Amino acid sequence: MELHRGAVRRVNACVLRLRDSPRLGRVVRRRLTVVTYTGRRSGNTFSTPVAYRRTGDTVLIGVQFPDAKAWWRNFLGAGGPISLHLDGEDRPGHAVSRRDERGRVSVTVTLDD
């Protein structure tokens, strides 16, 4: 499991570098953002890159391999606060995660005004 976590950290670091790259960053930022949230049990603040689709003030995040990830569980039930880095700024919102009948997980974020 520790090997897996190390690999994930390395991949996330590469994604963040691409996102911040002068050459490719603009293209990458169209589909990748960074979410920041507070862990429901630990109270610690975490940030992670995710792919997203945005329509107005609604952002949809599809969680790939959800059983191998825990971050989306912070938003089960009534959901909770989250921040997304969009358009060069951090945008607060409210996230709710849901697992469908096929086991797929999505997180819907409604951005604050």
Side-chain angles (χ1 to χ4, degrees), residues 20-94:
D20 294 337
S21 145
R23 193 173 279 198
L24 298 174
R26 199 165 133 206
V27 173
V28 172
R29 284 189 298 272
R30 289 182 198 159
R31 295 286 178 235
L32 292 174
T33 188
V34 176
V35 297
T36 302
Y37 60 94
T38 301
R40 62 184 172 180
R41 289 189 299 189
S42 71
N44 294 331
T45 300
F46 300 95
S47 295
T48 190
V50 297
Y52 74 98
R53 285 184 308 184
R54 180 178 179 184
T55 305
D57 286 339
T58 302
V59 176
L60 182 64
I61 301 166
V63 180
Q64 300 298 313
F65 309 108
D67 294 329
K69 299 174 182 168
W71 73 268
W72 60 270
R73 290 177 175 88
N74 287 283
F75 307 104
L76 288 169
I82 194 169
S83 176
L84 288 80
H85 193 80
L86 299 168
D87 305 324
E89 64 182 11
D90 290 328
R91 297 282 311 272
H94 183 82

Side-chain angles (χ1 to χ4, degrees), residues 1-10:
M1 187 66 154
E2 194 58 39
L3 178 63
H4 178 270
R5 286 187 191 143
V8 169
R9 277 193 293 271
R10 286 190 297 279

